[in-house]
Amino acid sequence: MQASVHTAVRELAAEVGRDALTVPMIAQRAGVTPSTIYRRWGDLQELLSDVAVERLRPDTAPRDHGALPADLTAWAEQFLDEMSSASGRAYIRDALLGDPDGGNAGQCSAYAAEQIDVILNRATERGEETPGVETVMDRVVSPLMYRILFRPDGLDAAYARGLVTGLLDPTGRWPGKAA
Amino acid sequence: MQASVHTAVRELAAEVGRDALTVPMIAQRAGVTPSTIYRRWGDLQELLSDVAVERLRPDTAPRDHGALPADLTAWAEQFLDEMSSASGRAYIRDALLGDPDGGNAGQCSAYAAEQIDVILNRATERGEETPGVETVMDRVVSPLMYRILFRPDGLDAAYARGLVTGLLDPTGRWPGKAA
């Protein structure tokens, strides 16, 4: 049932646009009654939030480029690319919104932390010195997501690379200052 | 007109709760017609977003404690305190939501940047070495806001202080790692 409702939301969003979605429309496409949807999700916003989190789940493990700086840089660039796209930003907003208990936002964050954990574990196995996963969340994921949500102007791959360089290079104390 | 509508929103939100607000209810309290509100704001969500940004505007300049570490630490603790409160989080969500062009979210971020700029300018005048304002946004504001929105569990003043310490202490390369 959940899968057919999620599919109906994605199909209809592509056809009529996200803002035109209604619960009866989704129910009809999914072949369930509206009351089934209200019982399971409460309201449209919570359903959209669940669909958004599902769409934000990474499909694959991060690619292995053979060294921590390359792995983390490639991951940060791809994360920025996906999350700052029009659909990525719409999913983030939906995930944050219809989320009374904060579980969906936490799940989005957990996805990023899991991907970074894979990258750091690979680096540790190679014998590389690594920061902790929470430090990478603070230094790379947080600034990317903050700027996507609050100040997207001028956000580009060079900025994402600079965050990773600043984290991994002990001589670059305040990278923004030297410029 | 804007001031009376904003006041009506704040009063009614306190009386009946934010989720029960309607445009006709707000119009009646403010002594304007509903169509006046629709013409000026488009819809309820955009009005709530404008009210939220107004509420998130700092009332005063940051306090001067005589040194950059103390100024930045006190500011970060207060910022976390205000933004992570129930009303703070509701305002952030409203500001992000009814914001088709991103101007309100950008304004929230500009408020934080202005406060930090005041702190950094004071430090420079004292002869202290300072990071740039964008570096403080990345290293202090972004992680605080990211965790408020995505993973509020365990967020406390010690975490805010640790961000400032990590930024200002050149020997603390990866503070999360040593623990």
PDB file of all heavy atoms in Angstrom, chain A residues 15-50:
ATOM      1  N   GLU A  15       3.182  15.049 -13.225  1.00  0.00           N
ATOM      2  CA  GLU A  15       2.148  15.385 -14.216  1.00  0.00           C
ATOM      3  C   GLU A  15       1.504  16.747 -13.964  1.00  0.00           C
ATOM      4  O   GLU A  15       1.371  17.547 -14.889  1.00  0.00           O
ATOM      5  CB  GLU A  15       1.051  14.296 -14.222  1.00  0.00           C
ATOM      6  CG  GLU A  15       1.541  12.948 -14.761  1.00  0.00           C
ATOM      7  CD  GLU A  15       0.556  11.828 -14.468  1.00  0.00           C
ATOM      8  OE1 GLU A  15      -0.649  12.118 -14.270  1.00  0.00           O
ATOM      9  OE2 GLU A  15       0.991  10.665 -14.414  1.00  0.00           O
ATOM     10  N   VAL A  16       1.098  16.994 -12.720  1.00  0.00           N
ATOM     11  CA  VAL A  16       0.316  18.216 -12.451  1.00  0.00           C
ATOM     12  C   VAL A  16       1.072  19.226 -11.592  1.00  0.00           C
ATOM     13  O   VAL A  16       0.606  20.342 -11.391  1.00  0.00           O
ATOM     14  CB  VAL A  16      -1.037  17.882 -11.756  1.00  0.00           C
ATOM     15  CG1 VAL A  16      -1.834  16.912 -12.620  1.00  0.00           C
ATOM     16  CG2 VAL A  16      -0.822  17.316 -10.360  1.00  0.00           C
ATOM     17  N   GLY A  17       2.243  18.817 -11.077  1.00  0.00           N
ATOM     18  CA  GLY A  17       3.000  19.715 -10.206  1.00  0.00           C
ATOM     19  C   GLY A  17       2.654  19.441  -8.749  1.00  0.00           C
ATOM     20  O   GLY A  17       1.522  19.116  -8.408  1.00  0.00           O
ATOM     21  N   ARG A  18       3.654  19.602  -7.907  1.00  0.00           N
ATOM     22  CA  ARG A  18       3.522  19.259  -6.504  1.00  0.00           C
ATOM     23  C   ARG A  18       2.427  20.061  -5.796  1.00  0.00           C
ATOM     24  O   ARG A  18       1.713  19.550  -4.934  1.00  0.00           O
ATOM     25  CB  ARG A  18       4.871  19.522  -5.844  1.00  0.00           C
ATOM     26  CG  ARG A  18       4.934  19.200  -4.384  1.00  0.00           C
ATOM     27  CD  ARG A  18       6.010  20.026  -3.729  1.00  0.00           C
ATOM     28  NE  ARG A  18       5.803  20.053  -2.297  1.00  0.00           N
ATOM     29  CZ  ARG A  18       4.826  20.700  -1.701  1.00  0.00           C
ATOM     30  NH1 ARG A  18       3.929  21.352  -2.397  1.00  0.00           N
ATOM     31  NH2 ARG A  18       4.720  20.689  -0.375  1.00  0.00           N
ATOM     32  N   ASP A  19       2.288  21.338  -6.167  1.00  0.00           N
ATOM     33  CA  ASP A  19       1.351  22.202  -5.445  1.00  0.00           C
ATOM     34  C   ASP A  19      -0.104  21.911  -5.779  1.00  0.00           C
ATOM     35  O   ASP A  19      -1.012  22.398  -5.085  1.00  0.00           O
ATOM     36  CB  ASP A  19       1.650  23.679  -5.731  1.00  0.00           C
ATOM     37  CG  ASP A  19       2.969  24.105  -5.105  1.00  0.00           C
ATOM     38  OD1 ASP A  19       3.423  23.402  -4.179  1.00  0.00           O
ATOM     39  OD2 ASP A  19       3.545  25.112  -5.532  1.00  0.00           O
ATOM     40  N   ALA A  20      -0.340  21.143  -6.851  1.00  0.00           N
ATOM     41  CA  ALA A  20      -1.725  20.824  -7.235  1.00  0.00           C
ATOM     42  C   ALA A  20      -2.185  19.491  -6.644  1.00  0.00           C
ATOM     43  O   ALA A  20      -3.334  19.101  -6.837  1.00  0.00           O
ATOM     44  CB  ALA A  20      -1.852  20.804  -8.759  1.00  0.00           C
ATOM     45  N   LEU A  21      -1.310  18.811  -5.906  1.00  0.00           N
ATOM     46  CA  LEU A  21      -1.674  17.493  -5.372  1.00  0.00           C
ATOM     47  C   LEU A  21      -2.753  17.608  -4.295  1.00  0.00           C
ATOM     48  O   LEU A  21      -2.745  18.552  -3.498  1.00  0.00           O
ATOM     49  CB  LEU A  21      -0.444  16.820  -4.752  1.00  0.00           C
ATOM     50  CG  LEU A  21       0.698  16.454  -5.703  1.00  0.00           C
ATOM     51  CD1 LEU A  21       1.850  15.847  -4.908  1.00  0.00           C
ATOM     52  CD2 LEU A  21       0.221  15.482  -6.770  1.00  0.00           C
ATOM     53  N   THR A  22      -3.683  16.638  -4.314  1.00  0.00           N
ATOM     54  CA  THR A  22      -4.670  16.528  -3.237  1.00  0.00           C
ATOM     55  C   THR A  22      -4.740  15.060  -2.816  1.00  0.00           C
ATOM     56  O   THR A  22      -4.372  14.164  -3.590  1.00  0.00           O
ATOM     57  CB  THR A  22      -6.076  16.959  -3.705  1.00  0.00           C
ATOM     58  OG1 THR A  22      -6.525  16.043  -4.717  1.00  0.00           O
ATOM     59  CG2 THR A  22      -6.077  18.379  -4.252  1.00  0.00           C
ATOM     60  N   VAL A  23      -5.212  14.831  -1.607  1.00  0.00           N
ATOM     61  CA  VAL A  23      -5.320  13.461  -1.113  1.00  0.00           C
ATOM     62  C   VAL A  23      -6.291  12.630  -1.966  1.00  0.00           C
ATOM     63  O   VAL A  23      -5.959  11.500  -2.336  1.00  0.00           O
ATOM     64  CB  VAL A  23      -5.705  13.441   0.388  1.00  0.00           C
ATOM     65  CG1 VAL A  23      -6.098  12.032   0.833  1.00  0.00           C
ATOM     66  CG2 VAL A  23      -4.533  13.956   1.226  1.00  0.00           C
ATOM     67  N   PRO A  24      -7.492  13.150  -2.322  1.00  0.00           N
ATOM     68  CA  PRO A  24      -8.385  12.338  -3.167  1.00  0.00           C
ATOM     69  C   PRO A  24      -7.753  11.947  -4.509  1.00  0.00           C
ATOM     70  O   PRO A  24      -7.905  10.811  -4.970  1.00  0.00           O
ATOM     71  CB  PRO A  24      -9.594  13.268  -3.374  1.00  0.00           C
ATOM     72  CG  PRO A  24      -9.585  14.178  -2.200  1.00  0.00           C
ATOM     73  CD  PRO A  24      -8.142  14.384  -1.868  1.00  0.00           C
ATOM     74  N   MET A  25      -7.014  12.888  -5.110  1.00  0.00           N
ATOM     75  CA  MET A  25      -6.342  12.613  -6.381  1.00  0.00           C
ATOM     76  C   MET A  25      -5.317  11.488  -6.224  1.00  0.00           C
ATOM     77  O   MET A  25      -5.234  10.565  -7.050  1.00  0.00           O
ATOM     78  CB  MET A  25      -5.645  13.920  -6.796  1.00  0.00           C
ATOM     79  CG  MET A  25      -4.949  13.916  -8.119  1.00  0.00           C
ATOM     80  SD  MET A  25      -3.877  15.405  -8.233  1.00  0.00           S
ATOM     81  CE  MET A  25      -5.065  16.732  -8.235  1.00  0.00           C
ATOM     82  N   ILE A  26      -4.549  11.554  -5.151  1.00  0.00           N
ATOM     83  CA  ILE A  26      -3.517  10.541  -4.902  1.00  0.00           C
ATOM     84  C   ILE A  26      -4.168   9.190  -4.615  1.00  0.00           C
ATOM     85  O   ILE A  26      -3.727   8.146  -5.119  1.00  0.00           O
ATOM     86  CB  ILE A  26      -2.609  10.977  -3.722  1.00  0.00           C
ATOM     87  CG1 ILE A  26      -1.814  12.231  -4.104  1.00  0.00           C
ATOM     88  CG2 ILE A  26      -1.688   9.839  -3.304  1.00  0.00           C
ATOM     89  CD1 ILE A  26      -1.226  12.969  -2.904  1.00  0.00           C
ATOM     90  N   ALA A  27      -5.247   9.220  -3.819  1.00  0.00           N
ATOM     91  CA  ALA A  27      -5.940   7.981  -3.464  1.00  0.00           C
ATOM     92  C   ALA A  27      -6.471   7.280  -4.710  1.00  0.00           C
ATOM     93  O   ALA A  27      -6.310   6.061  -4.880  1.00  0.00           O
ATOM     94  CB  ALA A  27      -7.084   8.283  -2.491  1.00  0.00           C
ATOM     95  N   GLN A  28      -7.079   8.066  -5.598  1.00  0.00           N
ATOM     96  CA  GLN A  28      -7.638   7.474  -6.824  1.00  0.00           C
ATOM     97  C   GLN A  28      -6.544   6.798  -7.648  1.00  0.00           C
ATOM     98  O   GLN A  28      -6.691   5.661  -8.079  1.00  0.00           O
ATOM     99  CB  GLN A  28      -8.337   8.562  -7.648  1.00  0.00           C
ATOM    100  CG  GLN A  28      -9.078   7.984  -8.855  1.00  0.00           C
ATOM    101  CD  GLN A  28      -9.777   9.061  -9.653  1.00  0.00           C
ATOM    102  OE1 GLN A  28      -9.340  10.218  -9.670  1.00  0.00           O
ATOM    103  NE2 GLN A  28     -10.872   8.696 -10.299  1.00  0.00           N
ATOM    104  N   ARG A  29      -5.418   7.486  -7.836  1.00  0.00           N
ATOM    105  CA  ARG A  29      -4.335   6.923  -8.630  1.00  0.00           C
ATOM    106  C   ARG A  29      -3.756   5.660  -7.974  1.00  0.00           C
ATOM    107  O   ARG A  29      -3.392   4.708  -8.660  1.00  0.00           O
ATOM    108  CB  ARG A  29      -3.226   7.978  -8.801  1.00  0.00           C
ATOM    109  CG  ARG A  29      -1.983   7.490  -9.546  1.00  0.00           C
ATOM    110  CD  ARG A  29      -2.271   7.176 -11.017  1.00  0.00           C
ATOM    111  NE  ARG A  29      -2.674   8.332 -11.770  1.00  0.00           N
ATOM    112  CZ  ARG A  29      -1.864   9.088 -12.528  1.00  0.00           C
ATOM    113  NH1 ARG A  29      -0.604   8.772 -12.671  1.00  0.00           N
ATOM    114  NH2 ARG A  29      -2.332  10.142 -13.183  1.00  0.00           N
ATOM    115  N   ALA A  30      -3.674   5.682  -6.654  1.00  0.00           N
ATOM    116  CA  ALA A  30      -3.075   4.538  -5.950  1.00  0.00           C
ATOM    117  C   ALA A  30      -4.076   3.391  -5.752  1.00  0.00           C
ATOM    118  O   ALA A  30      -3.683   2.299  -5.319  1.00  0.00           O
ATOM    119  CB  ALA A  30      -2.535   4.992  -4.597  1.00  0.00           C
ATOM    120  N   GLY A  31      -5.361   3.653  -6.047  1.00  0.00           N
ATOM    121  CA  GLY A  31      -6.353   2.603  -5.883  1.00  0.00           C
ATOM    122  C   GLY A  31      -6.693   2.321  -4.428  1.00  0.00           C
ATOM    123  O   GLY A  31      -6.971   1.175  -4.048  1.00  0.00           O
ATOM    124  N   VAL A  32      -6.637   3.371  -3.596  1.00  0.00           N
ATOM    125  CA  VAL A  32      -7.049   3.224  -2.190  1.00  0.00           C
ATOM    126  C   VAL A  32      -8.074   4.324  -1.893  1.00  0.00           C
ATOM    127  O   VAL A  32      -8.292   5.213  -2.712  1.00  0.00           O
ATOM    128  CB  VAL A  32      -5.852   3.344  -1.210  1.00  0.00           C
ATOM    129  CG1 VAL A  32      -4.798   2.286  -1.524  1.00  0.00           C
ATOM    130  CG2 VAL A  32      -5.244   4.744  -1.257  1.00  0.00           C
ATOM    131  N   THR A  33      -8.684   4.266  -0.705  1.00  0.00           N
ATOM    132  CA  THR A  33      -9.620   5.325  -0.350  1.00  0.00           C
ATOM    133  C   THR A  33      -8.864   6.473   0.317  1.00  0.00           C
ATOM    134  O   THR A  33      -7.820   6.250   0.949  1.00  0.00           O
ATOM    135  CB  THR A  33     -10.699   4.830   0.632  1.00  0.00           C
ATOM    136  OG1 THR A  33     -10.044   4.441   1.848  1.00  0.00           O
ATOM    137  CG2 THR A  33     -11.453   3.636   0.057  1.00  0.00           C
ATOM    138  N   PRO A  34      -9.390   7.703   0.178  1.00  0.00           N
ATOM    139  CA  PRO A  34      -8.759   8.822   0.886  1.00  0.00           C
ATOM    140  C   PRO A  34      -8.602   8.557   2.380  1.00  0.00           C
ATOM    141  O   PRO A  34      -7.574   8.899   2.971  1.00  0.00           O
ATOM    142  CB  PRO A  34      -9.715   9.988   0.617  1.00  0.00           C
ATOM    143  CG  PRO A  34     -10.358   9.659  -0.689  1.00  0.00           C
ATOM    144  CD  PRO A  34     -10.485   8.157  -0.703  1.00  0.00           C
ATOM    145  N   SER A  35      -9.606   7.912   2.984  1.00  0.00           N
ATOM    146  CA  SER A  35      -9.517   7.705   4.443  1.00  0.00           C
ATOM    147  C   SER A  35      -8.346   6.789   4.801  1.00  0.00           C
ATOM    148  O   SER A  35      -7.768   6.909   5.881  1.00  0.00           O
ATOM    149  CB  SER A  35     -10.839   7.165   4.997  1.00  0.00           C
ATOM    150  OG  SER A  35     -11.092   5.884   4.470  1.00  0.00           O
ATOM    151  N   THR A  36      -7.991   5.886   3.888  1.00  0.00           N
ATOM    152  CA  THR A  36      -6.814   5.040   4.125  1.00  0.00           C
ATOM    153  C   THR A  36      -5.564   5.919   4.250  1.00  0.00           C
ATOM    154  O   THR A  36      -4.712   5.708   5.125  1.00  0.00           O
ATOM    155  CB  THR A  36      -6.624   4.048   2.954  1.00  0.00           C
ATOM    156  OG1 THR A  36      -7.835   3.306   2.779  1.00  0.00           O
ATOM    157  CG2 THR A  36      -5.469   3.099   3.226  1.00  0.00           C
ATOM    158  N   ILE A  37      -5.471   6.906   3.375  1.00  0.00           N
ATOM    159  CA  ILE A  37      -4.307   7.797   3.406  1.00  0.00           C
ATOM    160  C   ILE A  37      -4.314   8.654   4.671  1.00  0.00           C
ATOM    161  O   ILE A  37      -3.293   8.792   5.352  1.00  0.00           O
ATOM    162  CB  ILE A  37      -4.270   8.680   2.133  1.00  0.00           C
ATOM    163  CG1 ILE A  37      -3.978   7.794   0.919  1.00  0.00           C
ATOM    164  CG2 ILE A  37      -3.249   9.802   2.278  1.00  0.00           C
ATOM    165  CD1 ILE A  37      -3.883   8.533  -0.392  1.00  0.00           C
ATOM    166  N   TYR A  38      -5.478   9.202   5.017  1.00  0.00           N
ATOM    167  CA  TYR A  38      -5.543  10.033   6.234  1.00  0.00           C
ATOM    168  C   TYR A  38      -5.202   9.212   7.475  1.00  0.00           C
ATOM    169  O   TYR A  38      -4.553   9.704   8.398  1.00  0.00           O
ATOM    170  CB  TYR A  38      -6.943  10.665   6.375  1.00  0.00           C
ATOM    171  CG  TYR A  38      -7.203  11.760   5.361  1.00  0.00           C
ATOM    172  CD1 TYR A  38      -8.232  11.661   4.444  1.00  0.00           C
ATOM    173  CD2 TYR A  38      -6.399  12.899   5.325  1.00  0.00           C
ATOM    174  CE1 TYR A  38      -8.480  12.662   3.509  1.00  0.00           C
ATOM    175  CE2 TYR A  38      -6.626  13.899   4.393  1.00  0.00           C
ATOM    176  CZ  TYR A  38      -7.677  13.779   3.485  1.00  0.00           C
ATOM    177  OH  TYR A  38      -7.891  14.765   2.582  1.00  0.00           O
ATOM    178  N   ARG A  39      -5.666   7.936   7.495  1.00  0.00           N
ATOM    179  CA  ARG A  39      -5.361   7.085   8.659  1.00  0.00           C
ATOM    180  C   ARG A  39      -3.871   6.832   8.779  1.00  0.00           C
ATOM    181  O   ARG A  39      -3.306   6.857   9.873  1.00  0.00           O
ATOM    182  CB  ARG A  39      -6.100   5.739   8.546  1.00  0.00           C
ATOM    183  CG  ARG A  39      -7.264   5.583   9.491  1.00  0.00           C
ATOM    184  CD  ARG A  39      -7.721   4.145   9.645  1.00  0.00           C
ATOM    185  NE  ARG A  39      -7.691   3.363   8.423  1.00  0.00           N
ATOM    186  CZ  ARG A  39      -8.695   3.296   7.531  1.00  0.00           C
ATOM    187  NH1 ARG A  39      -9.805   3.992   7.732  1.00  0.00           N
ATOM    188  NH2 ARG A  39      -8.576   2.549   6.454  1.00  0.00           N
ATOM    189  N   ARG A  40      -3.216   6.603   7.640  1.00  0.00           N
ATOM    190  CA  ARG A  40      -1.806   6.215   7.675  1.00  0.00           C
ATOM    191  C   ARG A  40      -0.890   7.433   7.844  1.00  0.00           C
ATOM    192  O   ARG A  40       0.139   7.359   8.516  1.00  0.00           O
ATOM    193  CB  ARG A  40      -1.478   5.462   6.382  1.00  0.00           C
ATOM    194  CG  ARG A  40      -0.011   5.222   6.083  1.00  0.00           C
ATOM    195  CD  ARG A  40       0.617   4.193   7.010  1.00  0.00           C
ATOM    196  NE  ARG A  40       2.009   3.972   6.638  1.00  0.00           N
ATOM    197  CZ  ARG A  40       3.008   4.814   6.922  1.00  0.00           C
ATOM    198  NH1 ARG A  40       2.761   5.909   7.590  1.00  0.00           N
ATOM    199  NH2 ARG A  40       4.231   4.536   6.544  1.00  0.00           N
ATOM    200  N   TRP A  41      -1.261   8.575   7.217  1.00  0.00           N
ATOM    201  CA  TRP A  41      -0.319   9.704   7.192  1.00  0.00           C
ATOM    202  C   TRP A  41      -0.803  10.964   7.914  1.00  0.00           C
ATOM    203  O   TRP A  41      -0.031  11.898   8.072  1.00  0.00           O
ATOM    204  CB  TRP A  41       0.036  10.073   5.739  1.00  0.00           C
ATOM    205  CG  TRP A  41       1.078   9.173   5.156  1.00  0.00           C
ATOM    206  CD1 TRP A  41       2.421   9.243   5.377  1.00  0.00           C
ATOM    207  CD2 TRP A  41       0.873   8.062   4.273  1.00  0.00           C
ATOM    208  NE1 TRP A  41       3.060   8.244   4.675  1.00  0.00           N
ATOM    209  CE2 TRP A  41       2.133   7.512   3.995  1.00  0.00           C
ATOM    210  CE3 TRP A  41      -0.254   7.474   3.690  1.00  0.00           C
ATOM    211  CZ2 TRP A  41       2.296   6.402   3.162  1.00  0.00           C
ATOM    212  CZ3 TRP A  41      -0.090   6.380   2.862  1.00  0.00           C
ATOM    213  CH2 TRP A  41       1.177   5.853   2.604  1.00  0.00           C
ATOM    214  N   GLY A  42      -2.067  11.014   8.303  1.00  0.00           N
ATOM    215  CA  GLY A  42      -2.537  12.230   8.967  1.00  0.00           C
ATOM    216  C   GLY A  42      -2.981  13.290   7.982  1.00  0.00           C
ATOM    217  O   GLY A  42      -4.140  13.649   7.930  1.00  0.00           O
ATOM    218  N   ASP A  43      -2.047  13.821   7.192  1.00  0.00           N
ATOM    219  CA  ASP A  43      -2.448  14.787   6.173  1.00  0.00           C
ATOM    220  C   ASP A  43      -1.483  14.746   4.994  1.00  0.00           C
ATOM    221  O   ASP A  43      -0.488  14.003   5.007  1.00  0.00           O
ATOM    222  CB  ASP A  43      -2.572  16.201   6.754  1.00  0.00           C
ATOM    223  CG  ASP A  43      -1.245  16.722   7.275  1.00  0.00           C
ATOM    224  OD1 ASP A  43      -0.181  16.216   6.868  1.00  0.00           O
ATOM    225  OD2 ASP A  43      -1.260  17.658   8.085  1.00  0.00           O
ATOM    226  N   LEU A  44      -1.806  15.540   3.991  1.00  0.00           N
ATOM    227  CA  LEU A  44      -1.009  15.550   2.762  1.00  0.00           C
ATOM    228  C   LEU A  44       0.440  15.914   3.038  1.00  0.00           C
ATOM    229  O   LEU A  44       1.369  15.327   2.469  1.00  0.00           O
ATOM    230  CB  LEU A  44      -1.636  16.553   1.765  1.00  0.00           C
ATOM    231  CG  LEU A  44      -0.880  16.741   0.442  1.00  0.00           C
ATOM    232  CD1 LEU A  44      -0.815  15.440  -0.344  1.00  0.00           C
ATOM    233  CD2 LEU A  44      -1.543  17.832  -0.395  1.00  0.00           C
ATOM    234  N   GLN A  45       0.657  16.890   3.925  1.00  0.00           N
ATOM    235  CA  GLN A  45       2.010  17.356   4.189  1.00  0.00           C
ATOM    236  C   GLN A  45       2.887  16.241   4.763  1.00  0.00           C
ATOM    237  O   GLN A  45       4.060  16.121   4.428  1.00  0.00           O
ATOM    238  CB  GLN A  45       1.951  18.557   5.136  1.00  0.00           C
ATOM    239  CG  GLN A  45       3.241  19.334   5.217  1.00  0.00           C
ATOM    240  CD  GLN A  45       3.677  19.906   3.878  1.00  0.00           C
ATOM    241  OE1 GLN A  45       2.996  20.725   3.277  1.00  0.00           O
ATOM    242  NE2 GLN A  45       4.818  19.460   3.369  1.00  0.00           N
ATOM    243  N   GLU A  46       2.306  15.429   5.640  1.00  0.00           N
ATOM    244  CA  GLU A  46       3.095  14.323   6.201  1.00  0.00           C
ATOM    245  C   GLU A  46       3.397  13.263   5.151  1.00  0.00           C
ATOM    246  O   GLU A  46       4.483  12.659   5.144  1.00  0.00           O
ATOM    247  CB  GLU A  46       2.363  13.703   7.404  1.00  0.00           C
ATOM    248  CG  GLU A  46       2.336  14.648   8.602  1.00  0.00           C
ATOM    249  CD  GLU A  46       1.841  13.961   9.880  1.00  0.00           C
ATOM    250  OE1 GLU A  46       2.231  12.813  10.144  1.00  0.00           O
ATOM    251  OE2 GLU A  46       1.036  14.578  10.599  1.00  0.00           O
ATOM    252  N   LEU A  47       2.433  13.014   4.270  1.00  0.00           N
ATOM    253  CA  LEU A  47       2.682  12.074   3.172  1.00  0.00           C
ATOM    254  C   LEU A  47       3.802  12.595   2.273  1.00  0.00           C
ATOM    255  O   LEU A  47       4.737  11.854   1.921  1.00  0.00           O
ATOM    256  CB  LEU A  47       1.385  11.855   2.365  1.00  0.00           C
ATOM    257  CG  LEU A  47       1.533  11.103   1.035  1.00  0.00           C
ATOM    258  CD1 LEU A  47       2.185   9.735   1.239  1.00  0.00           C
ATOM    259  CD2 LEU A  47       0.159  10.948   0.372  1.00  0.00           C
ATOM    260  N   LEU A  48       3.745  13.876   1.911  1.00  0.00           N
ATOM    261  CA  LEU A  48       4.787  14.454   1.049  1.00  0.00           C
ATOM    262  C   LEU A  48       6.151  14.397   1.742  1.00  0.00           C
ATOM    263  O   LEU A  48       7.179  14.202   1.094  1.00  0.00           O
ATOM    264  CB  LEU A  48       4.435  15.905   0.689  1.00  0.00           C
ATOM    265  CG  LEU A  48       3.226  16.091  -0.228  1.00  0.00           C
ATOM    266  CD1 LEU A  48       2.967  17.570  -0.466  1.00  0.00           C
ATOM    267  CD2 LEU A  48       3.417  15.360  -1.555  1.00  0.00           C
ATOM    268  N   SER A  49       6.145  14.566   3.053  1.00  0.00           N
ATOM    269  CA  SER A  49       7.396  14.500   3.812  1.00  0.00           C
ATOM    270  C   SER A  49       7.994  13.091   3.721  1.00  0.00           C
ATOM    271  O   SER A  49       9.201  12.930   3.489  1.00  0.00           O
ATOM    272  CB  SER A  49       7.137  14.890   5.266  1.00  0.00           C
ATOM    273  OG  SER A  49       8.333  14.884   6.015  1.00  0.00           O
ATOM    274  N   ASP A  50       7.149  12.066   3.866  1.00  0.00           N
ATOM    275  CA  ASP A  50       7.642  10.690   3.768  1.00  0.00           C
ATOM    276  C   ASP A  50       8.178  10.386   2.372  1.00  0.00           C
ATOM    277  O   ASP A  50       9.218   9.741   2.218  1.00  0.00           O
ATOM    278  CB  ASP A  50       6.515   9.696   4.100  1.00  0.00           C
ATOM    279  CG  ASP A  50       6.328   9.522   5.603  1.00  0.00           C
ATOM    280  OD1 ASP A  50       6.998  10.222   6.372  1.00  0.00           O
ATOM    281  OD2 ASP A  50       5.505   8.676   5.997  1.00  0.00           O
TER     282      ASP A  50
END
